Amino acid sequence: MNQHEKLNYVELAAKDLNATKTFFSAVFGWEFTDYGPEYSAFSNQGLDGGFYQADACSRTDNGAALLVFYSDHLEATYNKVVDHCGQIIKPIFEFPGGFRFHFIEPSGNEFAVWSERRA
């Protein structure tokens, strides 16, 4: 639902658009709508958005914003990320409010997943 002056959409670069789409479909159940060969959109994921073909990537070590997923079963999500070629760059750790890990998807973008509990 569109709300006045609220975040509505996010766009991210993807070096390998097909690999990125395959990863997010397998791990998080995303569905994509292609708008030509260099752009694919997703919706109904808490925040709508899309990936565009580019050589850049979004990483916190170069100042990019971090998009964070929530999981009811952190270790199961961790295993799905690993099983589908996600690269863990920060294994599960405790932080105020819960536990989380950071990963890189096939196009090089960094994301995190958090939960109130580890298991």
Side-chain angles (χ1 to χ4, degrees):
M1 178 175 172
N2 297 329
Q3 295 182 8
H4 178 66
E5 298 181 346
K6 301 295 181 196
L7 288 175
N8 178 260
Y9 201 84
V10 61
E11 292 188 334
L12 297 162
K15 292 178 186 177
D16 186 336
L17 192 54
N18 288 328
T20 291
K21 288 170 29 180
T22 298
F23 175 83
F24 282 99
S25 294
V27 176
F28 297 104
W30 289 14
E31 295 180 3
F32 290 89
T33 302
D34 293 333
Y35 294 96
E38 295 185 348
Y39 193 89
S40 193
F42 57 86
S43 58
N44 299 316
Q45 301 307 320
L47 179 65
D48 292 349
F51 289 96
Y52 58 92
Q53 187 71 47
D55 288 332
C57 60
S58 178
R59 301 278 298 265
T60 59
D61 60 3
N62 64 19
L66 178 65
L67 297 175
V68 183
F69 291 89
Y70 177 79
S71 174
D72 285 331
H73 306 284
L74 190 64
E75 290 183 2
T77 303
Y78 180 99
N79 290 334
K80 285 195 323 185
V81 166
V82 170
D83 290 346
H84 291 92
C85 301
Q87 176 188 359
I88 303 299
I89 58 170
K90 292 184 182 178
I92 296 173
F93 63 93
E94 190 170 5
F95 74 102
F99 296 86
R100 76 182 197 194
F101 67 91
H102 293 214
F103 68 92
I104 302 295
E105 55 87 24
S107 283
N109 295 304
E110 180 181 354
F111 292 86
V113 181
W114 85 279
S115 184
E116 288 101 352
R117 57 187 182 278
R118 184 177 174 106

